[in-house]
Amino acid sequence: MTIHYPKGMHHTLQVTNMMRTGKTTKKALTFSRRGMGLEEEINVANDFYLANRLAVIHKKPTPITIVNVDYPARSAAKITEAYFKQASTTDYNGVYQGHYIDFDAKETKNKTSFPLKNFHQHQIDHLANVLSQGGLGFVIIKFTSLNENYVYPASHLIYEWQLHKGKQSISYETIVTHSYRIPESLTPSLDYLVALDEWLAHINK
């Protein structure tokens, strides 16, 4: 794709879509997992993907309505009261190799199961709507005590939610069976596109 600048600017920029082939691009910064939570790891991975033209994925902004603002100084403002305009859906969305993706990020210290109370009905409904339009919906689940990360497809999450009526938990074994594990990586530390590649290869068989 060639991007043409406005009249009066004579140079053009050639933009190449670097389609992922299973290996991370060599042009990279080295990130460390040390001390990072799951969302921070995902944010770092998304920055890496965007910088290397692997995917365009962003964290969704949380819509709020500001009620009261305090001005302790002329040059400073502090929000002291606000409320959510609407219930949030999932944490992230974007595009990867022509696929719309939409997902949430959850972590648990539990070693044997994942509590369904971490989700709400409107989130399940949202993921179901994404699937109905042909998008890829999933959850990145981190078992912090085991240091294991999984891409868990929304179709299985929705099934478990309906089965247990949004209560109880999904067993660790069930998640492992129906998920795609995110392997340990250096750059980025949570290279979840590897798991998505495996999932897409399975879908396209």
Side-chain angles (χ1 to χ4, degrees), residues 123-193:
Q123 294 177 309
I124 301 298
D125 294 341
H126 172 74
L127 287 170
N129 288 334
V130 169
L131 298 188
S132 72
Q133 295 298 317
L136 293 177
F138 57 94
V139 184
I140 292 182
I141 296 178
K142 182 181 186 70
F143 288 93
T144 56
S145 298
L146 303 173
N147 195 29
E148 294 178 3
N149 301 280
Y150 296 91
V151 166
Y152 186 51
S155 57
H156 295 289
L157 171 63
I158 293 167
Y159 171 80
E160 293 293 332
W161 178 274
Q162 293 173 340
L163 180 66
H164 300 295
K165 298 181 180 179
K167 300 177 181 179
Q168 300 179 20
S169 299
I170 309 172
S171 71
Y172 169 80
E173 290 78 11
T174 296
I175 291 175
V176 171
T177 299
H178 297 291
S179 294
Y180 299 88
R181 185 167 180 177
I182 303 172
E184 292 187 0
S185 175
L186 180 61
T187 308
S189 63
L190 191 77
D191 193 3
Y192 64 88
L193 289 189

Side-chain angles (χ1 to χ4, degrees), residues 12-119:
T12 59
L13 173 66
Q14 296 292 330
V15 179
T16 303
N17 181 24
M18 299 173 64
M19 299 297 283
R20 190 179 181 83
T21 58
K23 293 183 179 179
T24 54
T25 177
K26 292 181 180 179
K27 296 178 182 178
L29 298 174
T30 300
F31 298 106
S32 171
R33 177 177 295 178
R34 188 176 304 167
M36 287 197 291
L38 177 58
E39 283 202 0
E40 188 177 357
E41 283 192 273
I42 294 173
N43 293 339
V44 168
N46 290 344
D47 289 342
F48 174 81
Y49 297 151
L50 185 62
N52 291 278
R53 303 192 185 111
L54 296 172
V56 180
I57 305 165
H58 295 288
K59 183 173 175 59
K60 299 177 186 178
T62 303
I64 63 170
T65 295
I66 298 173
V67 177
N68 196 16
V69 181
D70 184 24
Y71 295 92
R74 287 186 178 182
S75 60
K78 180 181 179 182
I79 298 173
T80 57
E81 185 180 356
Y83 63 88
F84 295 113
K85 287 184 179 179
Q86 59 191 41
S88 60
T89 52
T90 50
D91 293 329
Y92 298 89
N93 67 345
V95 182
Y96 175 52
Q97 292 198 9
H99 298 277
Y100 173 75
I101 63 174
D102 197 301
F103 66 96
D104 212 53
K106 302 289 185 182
E107 50 189 317
T108 180
K109 295 180 180 179
N110 199 318
K111 296 180 180 180
T112 59
S113 63
F114 184 81
L116 282 168
K117 67 180 181 180
N118 285 304
F119 294 97

